Amino acid sequence: MAIRIFPLIAITLLSCGCSSQNENPSQADVSSNWTPAELSERQGDLYSYLLSELEEPEKYVDLDEPDGRIYCLTLTPMDQWADTGNWRNIPTDFLHEHPELNTWYRPATDAYLKDGHVLTKDSDARAWMEWVTIRRWVSETEAEVQTGVWCCPLGGGASTRTYEKIDGNWRIIDYGESWVS
């Protein structure tokens, strides 16, 4: 089952982030200093799986986007975007594992946020920021994950799912909240 989020179908994000291996796994994985370089082995394993499940984004063409939609991808949780985006690129290790991501998405740092709108740095074109974030670890083998997409106010959404590693494979065991704007 793919985790692809369509622009107007999604789920709620109140707080999210990543933890270090030294934290109690039942506590929320929230960190104001979140950086992909600090991923633990289990976080890397889950992110690798989640990124492998992404499908190519729809490139809908309309008068406002004659060349199709531009998508960027980040692991940065939405609550840490600040006023200008503050996105970090997907770690190089994951891009080597999933080279299709380089053709489907632009790096997160190719975009910025202005007045709630995602724009490209090179041409100020409208863009969409898609994110995949581990919100918290419920146990050593179970985590809440939030995925979403955002372009502007009234143009985005997110969904929360709980994944568990069962017999060596990640599986969705619960569907949480969702939101759409």
Side-chain angles (χ1 to χ4, degrees):
M1 173 183 294
I3 63 168
R4 174 86 205 121
I5 298 298
F6 294 98
L8 297 177
I9 302 174
I11 308 194
T12 262
L13 164 66
L14 297 174
S15 67
C16 54
C18 299
S19 73
S20 68
Q21 289 177 312
N22 297 329
E23 287 182 330
N24 179 339
S26 65
Q27 295 177 351
D29 293 331
V30 178
S31 169
S32 61
N33 295 319
W34 183 88
T35 60
E38 297 175 8
L39 293 179
S40 69
E41 185 176 329
R42 71 182 175 156
Q43 289 168 319
D45 181 50
L46 179 51
Y47 274 126
S48 227
Y49 169 75
L50 295 168
L51 294 174
S52 74
E53 291 294 295
L54 289 175
E55 295 176 359
E56 183 173 9
E58 299 284 335
K59 296 293 185 188
Y60 303 102
V61 177
D62 63 33
L63 294 177
D64 293 330
E65 300 164 331
D67 296 325
R69 289 185 178 168
I70 299 168
Y71 286 88
C72 300
L73 181 63
T74 188
L75 303 182
T76 307
M78 188 179 190
D79 68 343
Q80 294 184 22
W81 290 4
D83 292 337
T84 59
N86 196 34
W87 299 299
R88 293 183 180 88
N89 292 331
I90 299 291
T92 307
D93 295 355
F94 293 129
L95 294 177
H96 290 307
E97 290 177 33
H98 310 287
E100 68 282 359
L101 297 178
N102 288 319
T103 60
W104 298 345
Y105 298 96
R106 291 173 82 174
T109 55
D110 279 3
Y112 69 99
L113 194 61
K114 182 178 180 182
D115 299 324
H117 295 261
V118 179
L119 304 169
T120 61
K121 289 181 179 176
D122 60 355
S123 65
D124 289 330
R126 285 191 333 180
W128 294 76
M129 183 61 64
E130 187 166 340
W131 72 94
V132 177
T133 300
I134 298 171
R135 288 184 56 180
R136 70 183 188 98
W137 287 93
V138 178
S139 71
E140 285 296 321
T141 59
E142 189 176 328
E144 284 183 7
V145 172
Q146 193 211 31
T147 58
V149 63
W150 181 266
C151 77
C152 58
L154 303 180
S159 64
T160 302
R161 296 181 184 99
T162 302
Y163 287 81
E164 185 173 14
K165 194 162 192 178
I166 302 170
D167 297 327
N169 298 306
W170 289 103
R171 297 188 181 140
I172 296 172
I173 60 168
D174 187 45
Y175 292 88
E177 296 178 351
S178 65
W179 62 265
V180 64
S181 67

